Every structure is written in structure tokens, then in C-alpha cells.
Amino acid sequence: DADVTQTPRNRITKTGKRIMLECSQTKGHDRMYWYRQDPGLGLRLIYYSFDVKDINKGEISDGYSVSRQAQAKFSLSLESAIPNQTALYFCATSDPTPLNEQFFGPGTRLTVL
Amino acid sequence: DQQVKQNSPSLSVQEGRISILNCDYTNSMFDYFLWYKKYPAEGPTFLISISSIKDKNEDGRFTVFLNKSAKHLSLHIVPSQPGDSAVYFCAASADQAGTALIFGKGTTLSVSS
């Protein structure tokens, strides 16, 4: 079984709809992250959480919100989706070490029409 | 301003030859540098890392070199294999900053047989 899972894997939605992407992990890590990947732009950080009571904005948090329901669960919401939020979204986890090696989920491909 | 830069969007190499992927950074506070590999429809996976106190780290066919004075690192793959064809991301970690990894935009490596 995968250590970091994301649901759904693919989603097509319309402009203005609310959508939630979910991430679960069995690695027992405290730290969790949400990134988006766009062609030519690499991985950009949206939000991150170092424990259940900790939420921090990343580089591109506008238009997104998150919820850390438990150590193992971290969800990303788009309150009112817009077409330029069409992207690949990745969840990741890590231990609090200096190396900060992160373990990524398989990704969610989101298309906003 | 980009703190981690991968200036070559793509690289093509023949099977058996050496692949050299480059990465430049601007922040002298980075403690670790990591390379991730990403196949289509999968999340990035950790490949190799190097501490800022070292200048070389080797793992099988993969070697990472760090030149701190030039703020430059490179990933060498020898010999290159068709299965190495993927997107490679350079990332940096600054433990004191207490934040997530900072990624470059990635280099797409194509190894032809």
C-alpha cells in the first residue's frame, strides 16, 4: 500500500465550484505539504503544516485553504475554482530533520473549465 | 526571485553516455541539497542528497557535486539508461528557516537507446 495517498486522482470541475483534494499518509510524519506543478514552473508550495495545530501559507496560497484534520490527513480546498488553478497537485510528508526529505503522493490532476 | 535555478529545461543524451544536470542557488544558508526524479503520472521521488559541508556524494550511477563558492551543484548519471528519462528537480533545504523545500523548475532528461 502507498505511504501517501491522494484522492481523487483526476477531477474536472467548472469555474466557481468548490472542490476539496484529500491527502492521507501512513508514514507517521508530522509535517505535511501541498504543492502544485505547472509546466515550466516546477513545484510551488501552497500550504504546509508542521503538526495538527500548525498551518502556514506557502508561496502561492491565494485562492486556496487547508485543513489538518489529524496527523495523517491534510486536505486542500479551492473555495471557488478558476481556470488558472488547472494543474497537478501533490501532497508530501516529511520528518523534522535538517535534510527535510519529503515523500510525495501520486498527485491529483485538476482541470477547471 | 528564484532561490534555486535549473537553467536547462531539457537535456538529451545517448544511452551509455554521461548525463550532467545543473543547478544554481542564491541562498548561502541552505543546509542540504536534494535531487528528485519524476516520471509522468507519478509523484516526485527522492534520488540523492548532499550536505552543504561536503563536496561530493555518490550512490551507484548517481553522483552529486557541490561547489559552494560558485553556489552550484550538479548531478552526474553514468552510464545513462533509457529508464533514467524523467524530469529531475533540484531542491534546497534551510533548516533554520523551518520551511519546506525550495524547488527548481526541473530539467527533462531524455536518454535514447
Side-chain angles (χ1 to χ4, degrees):
Chain A
D1 285 342
D3 295 318
V4 184
T5 57
Q6 293 182 233
T7 55
R9 293 295 312 278
N10 289 281
R11 180 71 182 267
I12 300 173
T13 192
K14 294 182 179 180
T15 297
K17 294 290 187 182
R18 183 178 188 276
I19 185 167
M20 179 181 289
L21 309 183
E22 299 188 356
C23 176
S24 295
Q25 54 116 344
T26 59
K27 298 189 74 66
H29 290 163
D30 286 326
R31 297 183 173 185
M32 298 186 74
Y33 312 82
W34 276 104
Y35 292 89
R36 65 177 277 177
Q37 183 191 7
D38 299 275
L41 294 180
L43 291 159
R44 294 184 293 166
L45 182 65
I46 306 172
Y47 271 95
Y48 61 101
S49 169
F50 283 177
D51 63 44
V52 175
K53 297 181 181 179
D54 177 75
I55 299 291
N56 303 281
K57 292 183 177 181
E59 177 187 356
I60 52 165
S61 59
D62 287 349
Y64 302 94
S65 63
V66 291
S67 173
R68 184 80 184 268
Q69 300 94 324
Q71 186 206 37
K73 296 184 181 297
F74 192 35
S75 59
L76 175 72
S77 294
L78 288 68
E79 297 301 326
S80 179
I82 56 177
N84 76 0
Q85 290 177 313
T86 293
L88 263 175
Y89 290 84
F90 291 101
C91 174
T93 74
S94 73
D95 265 335
T97 65
L99 176 61
N100 202 12
E101 178 187 347
Q102 295 183 13
F103 298 83
F104 285 80
T108 294
R109 181 171 294 280
L110 176 66
T111 302
V112 183
L113 301 176
Chain B
D1 191 28
Q2 266 193 287
Q3 296 188 64
V4 177
K5 301 178 184 179
Q6 293 177 258
N7 293 318
S8 297
S10 62
L11 175 67
S12 295
V13 173
Q14 284 192 321
E15 182 178 8
R17 305 295 290 268
I18 184 171
S19 295
I20 301 176
L21 294 92
N22 295 303
C23 179
D24 297 297
Y25 63 96
T26 58
N27 188 344
S28 59
M29 298 299 292
F30 288 138
D31 299 298
Y32 284 90
F33 300 92
L34 301 84
W35 285 94
Y36 278 79
K37 179 178 181 179
K38 184 185 179 305
Y39 291 118
E42 296 182 11
T45 56
F46 172 75
L47 185 59
I48 191 170
S49 67
I50 188 167
S51 164
S52 61
I53 62 173
K54 296 191 173 182
D55 56 18
K56 178 182 177 181
N57 187 28
E58 189 172 356
D59 183 2
R61 296 186 297 114
F62 303 92
T63 303
V64 57
F65 296 92
L66 175 62
N67 182 334
K68 288 184 65 178
S69 62
K71 292 190 174 67
H72 176 83
L73 63 153
S74 59
L75 173 67
H76 292 213
I77 306 174
V78 183
S80 301
Q81 300 174 353
D84 296 329
S85 297
V87 179
Y88 290 78
F89 291 102
C90 173
S93 173
D95 186 51
Q96 289 185 345
T99 59
L101 292 174
I102 299 172
F103 285 86
K105 294 183 178 182
T107 296
T108 300
L109 173 65
S110 299
V111 181
S112 56
S113 56

